[in-house]
Amino acid sequence: MDSNIQEKLQALFVAYAKNLPTKIKTMQQQWQQLSRHFDQANFREFHRFVHSLCGSAGTYGFTALSHSARKLELYLKNMLGQDILTPEQKMDVNRLLMQLVSIPLTIDNQAPIAQPPLSKLHENKLVYIMDSDPEFINEIHSYLDSMNYQITTVKNLPELRHKVDKMSPAAMVVDASDLAPEDINYFQSIQTGEAPIPLFFTAKQGDLLTRLNAIRAGGTAFFKKPIEAFYLSKALSKTCGSSSSEPLRVLVVDDSQSLADYYSFILQDSGMEARALTNPLHVLDMLTEFRPDLLLLDVYMPECSGLELAAVLRQDTLYAGIPIIFLSTEDDRLKQLNAISLGGDDFLTKPILPQHLVTAVRSRAERAGILTSFMTRDSLTGLLNHTNILQHLDVEISRASRTNTNLCFMMLDIDHFKSINDTYGHPMGDRVLRKLSELLLTRLRASDLVGRYGGEEFAVILPNTEGEMAIALSEHIREIFSKVRFKTDKVEFTVTFSAGIASYPMLHDAKTLIESADQALYKAKNLGRNREVFFGG
């Protein structure tokens, strides 16, 4: 475990144990007041307090206390909505509360918290490539080298088996053409061991049998050649959890600061980026600022419950697809299913093992990412599609307004693209589009947003960027792109693009930014192409 996170978790344990007697005393005082004068609002607050104690005590290892609080919480739940309490009910609550108070405040060594979270292991950067295409090997080699992977190429399966026996790699890239039954059996065997190796299969033929053999061999992904090596290397990096890939972002919403911090630290230790929020009414601002890949919501919170919050988010098209995992001590399966029907994707019962939390969050986020990409991204380039890049522009303008920062919007258009399609064919035109997409993704910052605006036009959102920086960035990418040599059977050729740039707050809304960037792009075309023009400059 990261030593810094370990220290923070230890501090949480100490603080929780130190404050626990005060929490229990507060709970007793709440009940004493309710016994003298019943009030429905105060009773709901008392129930919520007991519910919170049930979840937090179990999380921090006070298992017996958590079980006792759960019994009391279930009894109180049946009394919600009553105008008065009967003498029998008061006696039962007194009895359950006395049982709770009498429990020694000691940590159960068998509790889930006693098990360490998933720490980041030393990254294995070794990749074996079994392929006979030297051009493909060189291309994938160059990308993986830049990601600090150690590449070893092999000629055939016996050599690959020998290499794997000597040292297990982080992943393997294998040509799936003509896989023999014994090859499939071998790959299956290494996938069913304690440490399965991610397998990325490629092949020139994309027929069903070839793809089926790749699946039977335990393939992680299949790519039909020719493929841009950038996309394969990106998929490999994401699967292997490389530090060079962007980490999953998780927003934890829990009214208990202690629990929100605990879950955040666990997720951070597994390599994710996590933030804790205790006031659910601030979620929309945090969604705009942080742009999480997943929400981890406590069900029972004051002012706004997790269920209500999920329902609100599901009504907004911008957040309708973000995965939501509910956290609660609720173990009634019907109520869990009802929560999921209101907008959740999963329901985890407190206390939860750190390993299970990390696995659930990662699998849900990655699955949602795949589904979302089909709806929000252009199938050819992998960039945001027209609708979504414009939605993000509205969000980024709102963020720039709130933070009083600059923003630039850039429109790019490939010069003479119709001539490329007419002369070299549409497959080559597609390759040109993918190459520019790749350059934009690799040369821009993680905070920048890139979309395919339509045809050969691209849109780029540059948050916290002034005009001079945007111009310099466009010049840099344009120069690199102009030196890329595209090859056909008979000829090599190069391609250029033109760009128009507009900025906020010079222009105040998305519509004006788009129109102005488009005017600047039109001017760049008229001035001879292969240049950028800044609107108003």
Side-chain angles (χ1 to χ4, degrees):
M1 178 186 294
D2 184 285
S3 60
N4 186 40
I5 293 179
Q6 188 174 26
E7 291 174 2
K8 291 179 179 179
L9 282 171
Q10 184 62 34
L12 284 178
F13 299 153
V14 172
Y16 186 84
K18 183 178 179 180
N19 294 330
L20 196 51
T22 302
K23 286 179 179 289
I24 294 175
K25 185 176 180 180
T26 299
M27 185 172 58
Q28 289 177 288
Q29 292 172 343
Q30 287 179 330
W31 173 243
Q32 289 171 3
Q33 183 179 352
L34 283 167
S35 297
R36 292 191 299 268
H37 176 69
F38 181 79
D39 175 83
Q40 186 61 241
N42 289 337
F43 183 76
R44 288 186 177 277
E45 176 62 23
F46 176 61
H47 169 262
R48 193 190 68 79
F49 195 95
V50 176
H51 172 85
S52 177
L53 178 65
C54 173
S56 63
T59 299
Y60 282 99
F62 297 89
T63 308
L65 180 66
S66 176
H67 289 167
S68 183
R70 179 61 174 164
K71 292 179 182 178
L72 175 59
E73 191 263 336
L74 288 173
Y75 189 83
L76 296 174
K77 185 184 292 188
N78 294 326
M79 299 159 60
L80 292 173
Q82 293 183 196
D83 293 328
I84 59 172
L85 300 181
T86 66
E88 292 79 9
Q89 288 174 329
K90 289 183 179 181
M91 288 179 61
D92 287 340
V93 173
N94 279 324
R95 175 178 53 81
L96 291 170
L97 192 56
M98 288 301 297
Q99 290 177 359
L100 186 152
V101 172
S102 65
I103 293 174
L105 300 183
T106 56
I107 295 178
D108 182 355
N109 288 331
Q110 299 303 315
I113 194 63
Q115 300 191 27
L118 293 181
S119 299
K120 289 173 282 187
L121 300 176
H122 175 70
E123 283 188 314
N124 180 359
K125 307 294 286 187
L126 179 63
V127 176
Y128 294 145
I129 300 178
M130 188 177 83
D131 200 294
S132 58
D133 183 349
E135 185 175 347
F136 171 76
I137 291 174
N138 290 335
E139 191 175 1
I140 190 69
H141 206 296
S142 65
Y143 281 107
L144 294 181
D145 273 347
S146 67
M147 298 176 180
N148 298 318
Y149 282 97
Q150 303 166 7
I151 314 302
T152 298
T153 58
V154 297
K155 298 178 180 178
N156 49 47
L157 188 62
E159 184 181 355
L160 180 66
R161 298 178 70 159
H162 177 70
K163 293 284 187 183
V164 172
D165 289 341
K166 290 183 64 176
M167 182 172 292
S168 181
M172 296 191 292
V173 180
V174 177
D175 190 333
S177 304
D178 303 320
L179 279 178
E182 58 268 23
D183 301 337
I184 296 175
N185 291 337
Y186 169 69
F187 288 123
Q188 284 178 337
S189 68
I190 61 175
Q191 290 298 84
T192 56
E194 293 183 0
I197 302 170
L199 282 167
F200 296 85
F201 285 107
T202 65
K204 288 184 178 180
Q205 64 272 32
D207 60 279
L208 181 60
L209 181 58
T210 302
R211 294 174 182 268
L212 187 59
N213 284 336
I215 290 293
R216 288 170 175 168
T220 304
F222 178 89
F223 296 90
K224 184 179 180 298
K225 293 180 179 179
I227 177 178
E228 295 293 331
F230 167 74
Y231 295 101
L232 192 156
S233 59
K234 189 175 181 182
L236 185 149
S237 182
K238 182 177 181 180
T239 301
C240 296
S242 169
S243 58
S244 62
S245 60
E246 189 175 350
L248 289 174
R249 296 185 299 274
V250 182
L251 179 60
V252 181
V253 185
D254 196 307
D255 61 302
S256 166
Q257 186 71 61
S258 176
L259 283 180
D261 287 341
Y262 169 77
Y263 296 132
S264 297
F265 293 153
I266 293 299
L267 297 174
Q268 289 171 21
D269 190 57
S270 71
M272 303 182 201
E273 186 177 347
R275 292 192 187 179
L277 183 67
T278 57
N279 189 340
L281 298 182
H282 295 162
V283 161
L284 289 180
D285 290 338
M286 186 61 79
L287 286 174
T288 301
E289 176 188 341
F290 183 48
R291 292 188 295 179
D293 300 301
L294 180 141
L295 292 179
L296 198 62
L297 297 184
D298 185 26
V299 171
Y300 298 105
M301 294 182 288
E303 298 186 58
C304 175
S305 72
L307 303 182
E308 292 173 327
L309 184 57
V312 168
L313 295 178
R314 291 306 185 228
Q315 292 177 354
D316 191 322
T317 55
L318 198 59
Y319 305 121
I322 187 170
I324 295 174
I325 296 181
F326 289 122
L327 274 173
S328 176
T329 56
E330 180 62 70
D331 55 9
D332 186 319
R333 189 57 182 162
L334 289 178
K335 291 181 179 179
Q336 292 180 357
L337 292 173
N338 180 60
I340 292 176
S341 71
L342 292 175
D345 296 277
D346 208 345
F347 198 108
L348 303 179
T349 304
K350 299 178 182 177
I352 179 171
L353 287 170
Q355 294 93 330
H356 292 172
L357 174 66
V358 170
T359 300
V361 167
R362 179 166 284 134
S363 62
R364 278 292 174 185
E366 291 180 350
R367 194 178 312 161
I370 293 171
L371 295 175
T372 301
S373 68
F374 288 122
M375 298 181 290
T376 65
R377 295 195 174 269
D378 172 63
S379 59
L380 175 66
T381 63
L383 303 179
L384 292 169
N385 60 27
H386 178 91
T387 300
N388 280 274
I389 191 67
L390 297 187
Q391 287 180 341
H392 281 287
L393 180 58
D394 286 326
V395 171
E396 292 303 326
I397 290 174
S398 297
R399 190 206 308 269
S401 175
R402 189 176 64 255
T403 58
N404 195 29
T405 56
N406 288 28
L407 174 147
C408 282
F409 179 73
M410 187 187 306
M411 294 281 290
L412 281 67
D413 185 272
I414 297 176
D415 297 328
H416 304 296
F417 186 72
K418 183 177 184 301
S419 176
I420 295 172
N421 279 334
D422 292 344
T423 305
Y424 307 110
H426 287 275
M428 179 56 73
D430 289 347
R431 187 173 182 184
V432 171
L433 291 171
R434 287 197 298 266
K435 189 62 182 180
L436 180 53
S437 304
E438 168 200 317
L439 274 177
L440 292 171
L441 288 172
T442 55
R443 298 292 174 170
L444 295 173
R445 302 165 300 185
S447 58
D448 299 331
L449 297 158
V450 190
R452 187 179 180 191
Y453 195 74
E456 67 273 23
E457 281 192 317
F458 296 80
V460 180
I461 302 170
L462 304 168
N464 197 25
T465 303
E466 296 183 355
E468 290 183 1
M469 184 187 300
I471 293 171
L473 184 60
S474 175
E475 288 178 344
H476 177 65
I477 297 174
R478 183 171 53 80
E479 289 176 6
I480 295 174
F481 185 63
S482 68
K483 295 176 182 177
V484 175
R485 305 197 68 81
F486 295 93
K487 299 178 182 180
T488 68
D489 293 338
K490 299 179 180 179
V491 69
E492 289 187 4
F493 65 96
T494 58
V495 184
T496 61
F497 70 77
S498 303
I501 305 168
S503 71
Y504 173 93
M506 178 189 298
L507 304 165
H508 296 288
D509 59 78
K511 183 174 183 292
T512 309
L513 272 172
I514 295 168
E515 290 175 350
S516 301
D518 194 52
Q519 290 177 30
L521 173 61
Y522 184 76
K523 184 177 180 180
K525 292 282 189 181
N526 286 338
L527 289 174
R529 296 182 170 85
N530 191 24
R531 67 190 65 219
E532 44 279 311
V533 170
F534 185 79
F535 181 83

